[in-house]
Amino acid sequence: MDQTQVNSFEKFLTTYQDKKILVLELGIGPQNQMIKAPSMQLITGNKSSRYLTINKGQLNIPSMIADRAIGFSSTILDAFNALITGKDVVETQGPARPAPQLSPEDRQKQEEIFKNFYPSYTVNKGYRPGELVMYTTIDGNHPSHLHAVKYGKALMYSYGDPVDVHCFTQDGHYRLVKLGLNKDNNEVHGFYVEPNTFIAMEDAKGVTGFTQISVTLPSSSSNEILVPKKDQLKKMFPQQRALIDRLSIDD
């Protein structure tokens, strides 16, 4: 990467992040997050911005910006001809209706639910497009409780001490995943948890420390937290009875 160009791009984002901006994205596939992610963050945080993407057969417009975005599933030439002449017919996506916003009362209820499972967190809306982001702090005395969400959840390691993630899957498997920054110790940086898999996180060192993890919930989800029944879970996983007792809340 050309660091001079990187610096210029970051300066541009800093200077114009609050202005009226049109991001024109040409032929960038949804997997190319090195290019897409900075643009998505810019658009998500700036309500005056607009997004136009052209990529045949691979449009990916996050719901967080769908009301300010339009995509052309066509070649760049066909899309430009349609834009300039208004005559050619090409397949388009968007713009969508604005996503519904939580009422203050619903937001308060959601916060009370989350506090049952995460010792400490802050919410940063718009940090990643289409997702609700929480930074959770786990230390030796405050593990999270076993919980799940109806939709997929992404756990991405941010910084701090390594953390153990206990996973109880629907097909009857228990897995311990070490989340951290040291691949030599079989620690992964982040992973997706399958829907309805119950997880709990705790400090991996067993001593007082802290671990910050960003927990992202898709904006399309209901944000409901699912709590396992301890007795049922212990019947499925008899070898982890002590672990389940320690990381469960009362029914």
Side-chain angles (χ1 to χ4, degrees):
M1 296 179 67
D2 187 328
Q3 191 59 43
T4 301
Q5 290 183 342
V6 172
N7 293 340
S8 297
F9 183 52
E10 290 178 349
K11 183 179 179 180
F12 172 85
L13 294 181
T14 301
T15 303
Y16 297 103
Q17 60 184 349
D18 297 325
K19 309 297 182 183
K20 292 183 177 179
I21 294 176
L22 170 64
V23 173
L24 180 59
E25 186 183 87
L26 307 178
I28 306 299
Q31 303 303 319
N32 194 338
Q33 292 300 309
M34 287 189 67
I35 296 177
K36 293 183 75 75
S39 298
M40 294 294 98
Q41 292 177 19
L42 173 66
I43 298 161
T44 303
N46 178 2
K47 298 302 182 182
S48 299
S49 62
R50 299 293 183 269
Y51 172 65
L52 193 155
T53 178
I54 302 172
N55 196 42
K56 188 172 184 178
Q58 283 192 318
L59 294 178
N60 182 24
I61 300 176
S63 59
M64 189 70 76
I65 64 168
D67 60 319
R68 294 177 282 118
I70 186 170
F72 288 77
S73 180
S74 68
T75 66
I76 297 174
L77 178 60
D78 288 344
F80 274 20
N81 284 337
L83 286 168
I84 294 171
T85 66
K87 296 179 180 179
D88 292 347
V89 178
V90 295
E91 182 182 347
T92 62
Q93 176 182 330
R97 292 181 178 180
Q101 299 296 316
L102 288 177
S103 67
E105 293 77 14
D106 288 340
R107 193 174 295 113
Q108 178 68 27
K109 291 179 182 178
Q110 178 177 273
E111 185 170 336
E112 293 302 320
I113 291 174
F114 285 148
K115 283 182 178 178
N116 288 328
F117 305 97
Y118 305 106
S120 175
Y121 72 89
T122 58
V123 176
N124 292 290
K125 292 185 177 179
Y127 180 78
R128 288 195 182 94
E131 297 172 331
L132 170 67
V133 181
M134 298 182 298
Y135 284 92
T136 69
T137 301
I138 308 295
D139 62 34
N141 296 321
H142 301 93
S144 69
H145 294 113
L146 284 165
H147 62 281
V149 289
K150 287 187 176 180
Y151 301 85
K153 176 185 289 185
L155 302 178
M156 295 303 296
Y157 188 88
S158 180
Y159 61 87
D161 296 329
V163 67
D164 286 337
V165 183
H166 304 280
C167 303
F168 294 86
T169 66
Q170 293 185 85
D171 56 1
H173 291 286
Y174 164 75
R175 294 183 177 89
L176 173 63
V177 179
K178 291 189 176 293
L179 199 60
L181 294 175
N182 190 344
K183 291 185 178 180
D184 293 334
N185 291 340
N186 293 322
E187 296 172 359
V188 298
H189 291 260
F191 66 103
Y192 281 93
V193 179
E194 291 296 323
N196 297 326
T197 296
F198 292 103
I199 67 169
M201 299 170 287
E202 62 178 341
D203 182 71
K205 294 184 177 181
V207 297
T208 301
F210 74 92
T211 299
Q212 284 199 336
I213 303 169
S214 63
V215 180
T216 58
L217 298 171
S219 63
S220 58
S221 78
S222 63
N223 293 331
E224 292 181 67
I225 299 294
L226 307 181
V227 182
K229 292 184 178 295
K230 282 198 294 186
D231 291 342
Q232 294 295 326
L233 207 58
K234 286 191 287 187
K235 287 180 182 178
M236 291 182 62
F237 302 94
Q239 294 181 340
Q240 280 80 37
R241 292 176 66 92
L243 178 67
I244 293 169
D245 278 329
R246 181 164 58 84
L247 296 176
S248 295
I249 62 173
D250 292 333
D251 292 339

PDB file of all heavy atoms in Angstrom, residues 29-49:
ATOM      1  N   GLY A  29     -16.386  -5.578  -5.052  1.00  0.00           N
ATOM      2  CA  GLY A  29     -17.189  -6.676  -4.527  1.00  0.00           C
ATOM      3  C   GLY A  29     -17.395  -6.560  -3.026  1.00  0.00           C
ATOM      4  O   GLY A  29     -16.621  -5.891  -2.329  1.00  0.00           O
ATOM      5  N   PRO A  30     -18.432  -7.216  -2.488  1.00  0.00           N
ATOM      6  CA  PRO A  30     -18.748  -7.105  -1.068  1.00  0.00           C
ATOM      7  C   PRO A  30     -17.687  -7.668  -0.144  1.00  0.00           C
ATOM      8  O   PRO A  30     -17.646  -7.335   1.040  1.00  0.00           O
ATOM      9  CB  PRO A  30     -20.071  -7.878  -0.935  1.00  0.00           C
ATOM     10  CG  PRO A  30     -20.114  -8.792  -2.114  1.00  0.00           C
ATOM     11  CD  PRO A  30     -19.401  -8.062  -3.201  1.00  0.00           C
ATOM     12  N   GLN A  31     -16.799  -8.528  -0.654  1.00  0.00           N
ATOM     13  CA  GLN A  31     -15.752  -9.103   0.198  1.00  0.00           C
ATOM     14  C   GLN A  31     -14.548  -8.184   0.364  1.00  0.00           C
ATOM     15  O   GLN A  31     -13.708  -8.411   1.230  1.00  0.00           O
ATOM     16  CB  GLN A  31     -15.274 -10.438  -0.396  1.00  0.00           C
ATOM     17  CG  GLN A  31     -16.382 -11.455  -0.599  1.00  0.00           C
ATOM     18  CD  GLN A  31     -17.132 -11.755   0.679  1.00  0.00           C
ATOM     19  OE1 GLN A  31     -16.537 -11.883   1.744  1.00  0.00           O
ATOM     20  NE2 GLN A  31     -18.450 -11.854   0.581  1.00  0.00           N
ATOM     21  N   ASN A  32     -14.465  -7.137  -0.460  1.00  0.00           N
ATOM     22  CA  ASN A  32     -13.295  -6.241  -0.415  1.00  0.00           C
ATOM     23  C   ASN A  32     -13.516  -5.175   0.653  1.00  0.00           C
ATOM     24  O   ASN A  32     -13.788  -4.015   0.356  1.00  0.00           O
ATOM     25  CB  ASN A  32     -13.075  -5.607  -1.784  1.00  0.00           C
ATOM     26  CG  ASN A  32     -11.705  -4.954  -1.898  1.00  0.00           C
ATOM     27  OD1 ASN A  32     -11.089  -4.611  -0.896  1.00  0.00           O
ATOM     28  ND2 ASN A  32     -11.238  -4.786  -3.118  1.00  0.00           N
ATOM     29  N   GLN A  33     -13.375  -5.567   1.922  1.00  0.00           N
ATOM     30  CA  GLN A  33     -13.671  -4.657   3.022  1.00  0.00           C
ATOM     31  C   GLN A  33     -12.593  -3.597   3.235  1.00  0.00           C
ATOM     32  O   GLN A  33     -12.861  -2.566   3.858  1.00  0.00           O
ATOM     33  CB  GLN A  33     -13.875  -5.449   4.310  1.00  0.00           C
ATOM     34  CG  GLN A  33     -15.136  -6.299   4.297  1.00  0.00           C
ATOM     35  CD  GLN A  33     -16.383  -5.456   4.104  1.00  0.00           C
ATOM     36  OE1 GLN A  33     -16.597  -4.478   4.813  1.00  0.00           O
ATOM     37  NE2 GLN A  33     -17.210  -5.828   3.129  1.00  0.00           N
ATOM     38  N   MET A  34     -11.391  -3.819   2.727  1.00  0.00           N
ATOM     39  CA  MET A  34     -10.350  -2.797   2.877  1.00  0.00           C
ATOM     40  C   MET A  34     -10.754  -1.511   2.175  1.00  0.00           C
ATOM     41  O   MET A  34     -10.399  -0.410   2.610  1.00  0.00           O
ATOM     42  CB  MET A  34      -9.012  -3.309   2.320  1.00  0.00           C
ATOM     43  CG  MET A  34      -8.354  -4.359   3.183  1.00  0.00           C
ATOM     44  SD  MET A  34      -6.676  -4.723   2.626  1.00  0.00           S
ATOM     45  CE  MET A  34      -5.865  -3.180   2.978  1.00  0.00           C
ATOM     46  N   ILE A  35     -11.489  -1.644   1.068  1.00  0.00           N
ATOM     47  CA  ILE A  35     -11.958  -0.470   0.331  1.00  0.00           C
ATOM     48  C   ILE A  35     -13.342  -0.048   0.814  1.00  0.00           C
ATOM     49  O   ILE A  35     -13.620   1.137   1.011  1.00  0.00           O
ATOM     50  CB  ILE A  35     -11.976  -0.757  -1.182  1.00  0.00           C
ATOM     51  CG1 ILE A  35     -10.549  -1.002  -1.684  1.00  0.00           C
ATOM     52  CG2 ILE A  35     -12.628   0.391  -1.949  1.00  0.00           C
ATOM     53  CD1 ILE A  35     -10.459  -1.356  -3.145  1.00  0.00           C
ATOM     54  N   LYS A  36     -14.241  -1.032   1.021  1.00  0.00           N
ATOM     55  CA  LYS A  36     -15.627  -0.709   1.342  1.00  0.00           C
ATOM     56  C   LYS A  36     -15.815  -0.180   2.763  1.00  0.00           C
ATOM     57  O   LYS A  36     -16.629   0.726   2.989  1.00  0.00           O
ATOM     58  CB  LYS A  36     -16.508  -1.946   1.145  1.00  0.00           C
ATOM     59  CG  LYS A  36     -16.639  -2.395  -0.287  1.00  0.00           C
ATOM     60  CD  LYS A  36     -17.572  -3.578  -0.411  1.00  0.00           C
ATOM     61  CE  LYS A  36     -19.019  -3.166  -0.260  1.00  0.00           C
ATOM     62  NZ  LYS A  36     -19.554  -2.484  -1.426  1.00  0.00           N
ATOM     63  N   ALA A  37     -15.098  -0.750   3.726  1.00  0.00           N
ATOM     64  CA  ALA A  37     -15.354  -0.410   5.132  1.00  0.00           C
ATOM     65  C   ALA A  37     -15.203   1.078   5.445  1.00  0.00           C
ATOM     66  O   ALA A  37     -16.078   1.668   6.088  1.00  0.00           O
ATOM     67  CB  ALA A  37     -14.459  -1.243   6.044  1.00  0.00           C
ATOM     68  N   PRO A  38     -14.109   1.755   5.008  1.00  0.00           N
ATOM     69  CA  PRO A  38     -14.004   3.192   5.317  1.00  0.00           C
ATOM     70  C   PRO A  38     -15.139   4.005   4.707  1.00  0.00           C
ATOM     71  O   PRO A  38     -15.651   4.939   5.342  1.00  0.00           O
ATOM     72  CB  PRO A  38     -12.643   3.590   4.708  1.00  0.00           C
ATOM     73  CG  PRO A  38     -11.874   2.313   4.638  1.00  0.00           C
ATOM     74  CD  PRO A  38     -12.891   1.259   4.343  1.00  0.00           C
ATOM     75  N   SER A  39     -15.556   3.651   3.483  1.00  0.00           N
ATOM     76  CA  SER A  39     -16.659   4.372   2.849  1.00  0.00           C
ATOM     77  C   SER A  39     -17.961   4.136   3.600  1.00  0.00           C
ATOM     78  O   SER A  39     -18.753   5.061   3.817  1.00  0.00           O
ATOM     79  CB  SER A  39     -16.807   3.933   1.389  1.00  0.00           C
ATOM     80  OG  SER A  39     -15.645   4.226   0.657  1.00  0.00           O
ATOM     81  N   MET A  40     -18.198   2.878   4.006  1.00  0.00           N
ATOM     82  CA  MET A  40     -19.420   2.557   4.736  1.00  0.00           C
ATOM     83  C   MET A  40     -19.483   3.327   6.059  1.00  0.00           C
ATOM     84  O   MET A  40     -20.527   3.849   6.455  1.00  0.00           O
ATOM     85  CB  MET A  40     -19.493   1.062   5.017  1.00  0.00           C
ATOM     86  CG  MET A  40     -19.640   0.166   3.800  1.00  0.00           C
ATOM     87  SD  MET A  40     -21.203   0.373   2.919  1.00  0.00           S
ATOM     88  CE  MET A  40     -20.687   1.480   1.614  1.00  0.00           C
ATOM     89  N   GLN A  41     -18.362   3.401   6.758  1.00  0.00           N
ATOM     90  CA  GLN A  41     -18.316   4.133   8.025  1.00  0.00           C
ATOM     91  C   GLN A  41     -18.585   5.613   7.801  1.00  0.00           C
ATOM     92  O   GLN A  41     -19.288   6.256   8.589  1.00  0.00           O
ATOM     93  CB  GLN A  41     -16.958   3.928   8.698  1.00  0.00           C
ATOM     94  CG  GLN A  41     -16.737   2.500   9.174  1.00  0.00           C
ATOM     95  CD  GLN A  41     -15.368   2.293   9.777  1.00  0.00           C
ATOM     96  OE1 GLN A  41     -14.706   3.251  10.165  1.00  0.00           O
ATOM     97  NE2 GLN A  41     -14.928   1.051   9.874  1.00  0.00           N
ATOM     98  N   LEU A  42     -18.022   6.167   6.731  1.00  0.00           N
ATOM     99  CA  LEU A  42     -18.232   7.583   6.418  1.00  0.00           C
ATOM    100  C   LEU A  42     -19.713   7.857   6.154  1.00  0.00           C
ATOM    101  O   LEU A  42     -20.287   8.815   6.692  1.00  0.00           O
ATOM    102  CB  LEU A  42     -17.394   7.966   5.193  1.00  0.00           C
ATOM    103  CG  LEU A  42     -17.615   9.368   4.622  1.00  0.00           C
ATOM    104  CD1 LEU A  42     -17.156  10.424   5.623  1.00  0.00           C
ATOM    105  CD2 LEU A  42     -16.878   9.529   3.308  1.00  0.00           C
ATOM    106  N   ILE A  43     -20.349   7.011   5.355  1.00  0.00           N
ATOM    107  CA  ILE A  43     -21.750   7.229   4.996  1.00  0.00           C
ATOM    108  C   ILE A  43     -22.666   7.016   6.200  1.00  0.00           C
ATOM    109  O   ILE A  43     -23.616   7.774   6.424  1.00  0.00           O
ATOM    110  CB  ILE A  43     -22.149   6.286   3.844  1.00  0.00           C
ATOM    111  CG1 ILE A  43     -21.305   6.578   2.608  1.00  0.00           C
ATOM    112  CG2 ILE A  43     -23.620   6.429   3.505  1.00  0.00           C
ATOM    113  CD1 ILE A  43     -21.291   5.476   1.604  1.00  0.00           C
ATOM    114  N   THR A  44     -22.372   5.996   6.996  1.00  0.00           N
ATOM    115  CA  THR A  44     -23.210   5.702   8.153  1.00  0.00           C
ATOM    116  C   THR A  44     -23.222   6.863   9.140  1.00  0.00           C
ATOM    117  O   THR A  44     -24.258   7.187   9.720  1.00  0.00           O
ATOM    118  CB  THR A  44     -22.702   4.427   8.863  1.00  0.00           C
ATOM    119  OG1 THR A  44     -22.677   3.340   7.937  1.00  0.00           O
ATOM    120  CG2 THR A  44     -23.603   4.056  10.032  1.00  0.00           C
ATOM    121  N   GLY A  45     -22.082   7.490   9.328  1.00  0.00           N
ATOM    122  CA  GLY A  45     -21.984   8.567  10.302  1.00  0.00           C
ATOM    123  C   GLY A  45     -22.401   9.929   9.786  1.00  0.00           C
ATOM    124  O   GLY A  45     -22.456  10.892  10.556  1.00  0.00           O
ATOM    125  N   ASN A  46     -22.704  10.040   8.484  1.00  0.00           N
ATOM    126  CA  ASN A  46     -23.039  11.334   7.888  1.00  0.00           C
ATOM    127  C   ASN A  46     -24.388  11.224   7.176  1.00  0.00           C
ATOM    128  O   ASN A  46     -24.492  10.657   6.089  1.00  0.00           O
ATOM    129  CB  ASN A  46     -21.939  11.752   6.894  1.00  0.00           C
ATOM    130  CG  ASN A  46     -22.247  13.065   6.217  1.00  0.00           C
ATOM    131  OD1 ASN A  46     -23.261  13.711   6.489  1.00  0.00           O
ATOM    132  ND2 ASN A  46     -21.368  13.468   5.313  1.00  0.00           N
ATOM    133  N   LYS A  47     -25.431  11.771   7.794  1.00  0.00           N
ATOM    134  CA  LYS A  47     -26.780  11.661   7.239  1.00  0.00           C
ATOM    135  C   LYS A  47     -26.950  12.468   5.951  1.00  0.00           C
ATOM    136  O   LYS A  47     -27.922  12.282   5.225  1.00  0.00           O
ATOM    137  CB  LYS A  47     -27.807  12.135   8.274  1.00  0.00           C
ATOM    138  CG  LYS A  47     -27.818  11.303   9.553  1.00  0.00           C
ATOM    139  CD  LYS A  47     -28.110   9.841   9.271  1.00  0.00           C
ATOM    140  CE  LYS A  47     -28.168   9.020  10.548  1.00  0.00           C
ATOM    141  NZ  LYS A  47     -28.398   7.579  10.289  1.00  0.00           N
ATOM    142  N   SER A  48     -25.999  13.366   5.656  1.00  0.00           N
ATOM    143  CA  SER A  48     -26.076  14.157   4.421  1.00  0.00           C
ATOM    144  C   SER A  48     -25.411  13.461   3.244  1.00  0.00           C
ATOM    145  O   SER A  48     -25.402  13.987   2.138  1.00  0.00           O
ATOM    146  CB  SER A  48     -25.432  15.532   4.632  1.00  0.00           C
ATOM    147  OG  SER A  48     -26.107  16.258   5.640  1.00  0.00           O
ATOM    148  N   SER A  49     -24.829  12.311   3.467  1.00  0.00           N
ATOM    149  CA  SER A  49     -24.093  11.618   2.407  1.00  0.00           C
ATOM    150  C   SER A  49     -25.021  10.716   1.604  1.00  0.00           C
ATOM    151  O   SER A  49     -26.113  10.348   2.048  1.00  0.00           O
ATOM    152  CB  SER A  49     -22.960  10.782   3.015  1.00  0.00           C
ATOM    153  OG  SER A  49     -23.492   9.783   3.871  1.00  0.00           O
TER     154      SER A  49
END
